[in-house]
Amino acid sequence: MTSTNPIRRPRRSSKTGRRRFLQAAGATGALAMAGPLAGSRAAQAAEPKKGGHLRVGLAHGSTTDSLDPRTYENNFASGTGFTINGYIGEVLPSGAMVPEGAESWQASDDAKTWYFKVRPGVEFHNGKTLDAEDVVASVNLHRGETKSAAKSLVEQIEDIKADGKDTVVVTLKGGNADFPYVVSDYHIAILPAKAGEIADPTAGIGIGPYKITSFEPGIRATFEKNPNYFKADRGHFDSLEFLSIIDTTARTNALSTGEIDLMDRCDLKTVHLLGRNPNLRVQDVTGTLHYTFPMRTDTPPFDDNNVRMALKLALDREELVQKILKGYGVVGNDHPIGPSNQFYASALPQRTYDPEKAKWHLKQSGLDSLNVQLSASEAAFAGAVDAATLYREHALKAGIDIEIVREPNDGYWSNVWMQKPWCACYWSGRPTEDWMFTSTYLGGADWNDTFWTNERFDKLLVEARAELNSDKRREMYVEMQQIVRDDGGAVIPMFANYVFAMSDKLKTGDELAGNWDLDGFKFAERWWFA
């Protein structure tokens, strides 16, 4: 076995001077990572204070939400998960991955066998002490016959077992230098086991900084401080309240009038007005968040790649970045790997608006024109309907008539996404290329929302995962980005900054994470009131 420090990626500056997420690195050799939680906080200007009730307005929430981590599909559900749960590892604001529920981990030289040491003295909300069996059962919850969104991630596991009370041994089908990231996916929460199984995944019992006191799907969730939380320097609030406020205007008004202390997904058209309020503060972070228009490639006319190419060329991405994101982002290139990722294909030609070339691709499909429906809702992303409207205007010049279907916010992720042939969507992205590709683009993956399969892509995915030579790994990931760009079913026009606003009394660390929204959704345990 070998041992290294947690790997960090080089900082990439933003042209606008905004904070840019430091993505965690893939390995160049077999890894062993360990690190004290004491090093997991960014330097801060002031010592955090304890106490207070934090009220948060979130742009997501559905009546179909559940406390079962296998089902998390929006920010309200996953934010709740991060608040009550703990995971094997934690992504820091720096982008480094460090142990959380684990105390340390090591890998064999070929990265096929991983050894996780369970952190001692950690208690679940029900008083049970965390042990290796809990970790094994929590991972197994996502294996086999399950609809878990993390199923495709853990299919690479050949065997997982407890070696005593404090060690978990995982044998993979092939080497994976990024495996600690895989088992730290936000769906794979550590839950209490009984007789080797998770008795009730919906109980909301975790090892996180707060206990859940009420949960009304699509409406509200409340929490109280976990007095036995194992991170002494985290979890500063006495209690929290999450409110599902999907309407952007209502969310903004709630913050402006002091009904809430924090809101995500600011309206970029009016965010400058929030910045003028002396009692409020607006912040933004660049990460891996991207907005998409996924087409079901198993459904005509999207089963024809010439149609898909025509639609990719019939969109003015620059105009979307300027009018929808108000400059808080960059153009996308029809693949999900962003400039902050380690193996981003920076030399891949940027796709641009080309109506004439789009017409050419339609002709290759035997079409002179095209009429298609595009489902959109603000639940997909802020400005999704406006983005669809602009898209329609651009596409008309290519002989493509896009009919916009305005869908209800409630139930969008269960009734529209992955159900309708073409819709608007967002992805928070993933810390590593393998994680993103495996979750969403691997043939047959549960969250493959384009229902796309490419034999070459799937082969490269497995090979790149086990490749320990960084240069060879880069070549594979660059080719995979090109395959998705030129054959995949997703139009990916832009990568967006996370833009959120808060009461000036709410304080954060000096550096904010960008792996998810709101400080990697660790705001509940990292932030405090002045």
Side-chain angles (χ1 to χ4, degrees):
M1 299 180 190
T2 57
S3 180
T4 68
N5 292 323
I7 293 178
R8 301 171 187 269
R9 291 184 178 177
R11 182 182 296 274
R12 293 176 170 87
S13 62
S14 169
K15 291 181 180 179
T16 59
R18 302 183 178 108
R19 292 183 179 89
R20 184 170 287 275
F21 174 47
L22 306 178
Q23 289 287 25
T28 57
L31 304 181
M33 298 185 185
L37 282 171
S40 66
R41 290 192 61 84
Q44 296 169 347
E47 186 70 20
K49 294 182 180 180
K50 303 290 185 180
H53 177 70
L54 177 65
R55 302 159 301 168
V56 186
L58 296 172
H60 288 100
S62 173
T63 53
T64 59
D65 287 344
S66 167
L67 292 177
D68 185 340
R70 293 173 295 184
T71 68
Y72 295 165
E73 64 180 9
N74 61 58
N75 279 1
F76 189 92
S78 59
T80 297
F82 275 115
T83 302
I84 63 177
N85 294 320
Y87 298 82
I88 288 176
E90 172 188 6
V91 178
L92 303 184
S94 66
M97 168 68 80
V98 297
E100 187 176 64
E103 183 180 41
S104 63
W105 50 65
Q106 289 184 310
S108 59
D109 289 338
D110 60 1
K112 287 184 67 174
T113 304
W114 285 84
Y115 304 86
F116 295 88
K117 186 71 69 174
V118 176
R119 187 174 296 279
V122 175
E123 288 187 5
F124 287 97
H125 298 157
N126 63 1
K128 182 186 185 302
T129 300
L130 172 67
D131 61 28
E133 290 290 352
D134 298 313
V135 175
V136 172
S138 295
V139 174
N140 281 336
L141 187 64
H142 306 272
R143 302 176 68 206
E145 293 298 321
T146 176
K147 293 185 178 180
S148 170
K151 179 179 179 179
S152 62
L153 295 176
V154 297
E155 282 181 340
Q156 62 191 279
I157 297 175
E158 186 172 273
D159 183 57
I160 179 171
K161 61 184 179 183
D163 182 8
K165 287 286 189 180
D166 65 352
T167 303
V168 175
V169 182
V170 183
T171 304
L172 306 179
K173 298 174 183 177
N176 188 343
D178 293 332
F179 189 65
Y181 288 96
V182 171
V183 286
S184 299
D185 176 80
Y186 65 93
H187 298 95
I188 310 177
I190 300 176
L191 306 179
K194 185 176 182 180
E197 295 184 356
I198 305 301
D200 184 5
T202 67
I205 297 173
I207 59 171
Y210 296 92
K211 300 178 180 181
I212 194 157
T213 52
S214 69
F215 184 71
E216 301 173 70
I219 302 173
R220 182 173 178 262
T222 61
F223 313 84
E224 65 180 12
K225 184 181 180 67
N226 174 12
N228 298 321
Y229 191 43
F230 61 96
K231 300 180 191 178
D233 62 343
R234 300 281 188 92
H236 307 296
F237 305 109
D238 289 332
S239 56
L240 298 96
E241 180 179 11
F242 291 178
L243 297 170
S244 174
I245 311 177
I246 296 176
D247 183 78
T248 307
T249 301
R251 203 164 59 254
T252 303
N253 288 340
L255 180 67
S256 300
T257 58
E259 296 176 59
I260 59 174
D261 308 297
L262 171 66
M263 66 172 283
D264 65 345
R265 297 178 66 173
C266 293
D267 182 354
L268 300 182
K269 297 176 183 176
T270 60
V271 67
H272 63 286
L273 299 177
L274 287 175
R276 294 175 184 173
N277 188 325
N279 299 315
L280 302 178
R281 187 170 74 255
V282 176
Q283 296 192 234
D284 71 291
V285 179
T286 301
T288 56
L289 171 66
H290 53 283
Y291 296 157
T292 74
F293 296 104
M295 300 170 269
R296 288 193 57 149
T297 60
D298 62 349
T299 304
F302 309 115
D303 55 347
D304 186 330
N305 190 41
N306 275 301
V307 171
R308 302 197 295 267
M309 286 293 291
L311 289 168
K312 292 173 182 177
L313 290 161
L315 175 63
D316 188 337
R317 299 153 197 270
E318 292 284 355
E319 185 171 15
L320 257 64
V321 169
Q322 294 306 315
K323 291 188 176 180
I324 303 300
L325 300 183
K326 304 299 180 183
Y328 286 91
V330 296
V331 294
N333 204 15
D334 296 328
H335 64 75
I337 308 305
S340 56
N341 283 98
Q342 183 188 18
F343 298 114
Y344 172 67
S346 58
L348 195 64
Q350 173 63 53
R351 180 159 289 141
T352 57
Y353 181 42
D354 193 334
E356 293 305 313
K357 194 171 182 179
K359 290 179 182 178
W360 182 87
H361 277 285
L362 285 183
K363 289 181 179 179
Q364 303 312 300
S365 296
L367 301 172
D368 293 323
S369 61
L370 177 68
N371 295 280
V372 289
Q373 290 186 332
L374 173 58
S375 294
S377 163
E378 292 302 291
F381 59 84
V385 176
D386 287 343
T389 301
L390 285 173
Y391 198 165
R392 182 179 190 280
E393 294 174 3
H394 302 157
L396 286 172
K397 295 181 180 180
I400 300 172
D401 187 359
I402 299 175
E403 178 189 348
I404 301 169
V405 180
R406 296 195 63 154
E407 304 283 1
N409 290 330
D410 186 44
Y412 184 84
W413 298 105
S414 55
N415 300 326
V416 178
W417 179 65
M418 296 190 70
Q419 304 300 319
K420 299 295 182 71
W422 195 24
C423 70
C425 179
Y426 84 98
W427 284 96
S428 296
R430 300 295 185 268
T432 69
E433 287 80 358
D434 179 71
W435 193 351
M436 186 70 236
F437 281 143
T438 299
S439 300
T440 322
Y441 293 87
L442 174 66
D446 286 342
W447 277 11
N448 183 335
D449 58 5
T450 59
F451 295 81
W452 174 74
T453 299
N454 183 288
E455 185 176 346
R456 173 64 178 170
F457 177 89
D458 289 354
K459 181 175 182 290
L460 283 170
L461 181 62
V462 175
E463 292 176 353
R465 181 183 297 148
E467 180 55 63
L468 301 179
N469 181 294
S470 184
D471 291 337
K472 292 181 180 179
R473 204 174 189 209
R474 171 176 290 279
E475 290 177 6
M476 293 177 184
Y477 283 130
V478 167
E479 182 180 349
M480 291 164 71
Q481 289 168 67
Q482 183 165 2
I483 291 172
V484 174
R485 173 185 181 270
D486 295 337
D487 185 66
V491 181
I492 305 178
M494 51 189 171
F495 280 73
N497 291 5
Y498 294 114
V499 184
F500 44 94
M502 66 191 77
S503 163
D504 196 48
K505 296 179 180 179
L506 190 58
K507 303 301 177 183
T508 74
D510 289 341
E511 189 176 13
L512 299 176
N515 55 318
W516 306 110
D517 205 350
L518 298 175
D519 203 3
F521 258 114
K522 287 285 191 175
F523 68 92
E525 69 167 71
R526 291 177 180 168
W527 299 3
W528 68 94
F529 282 122

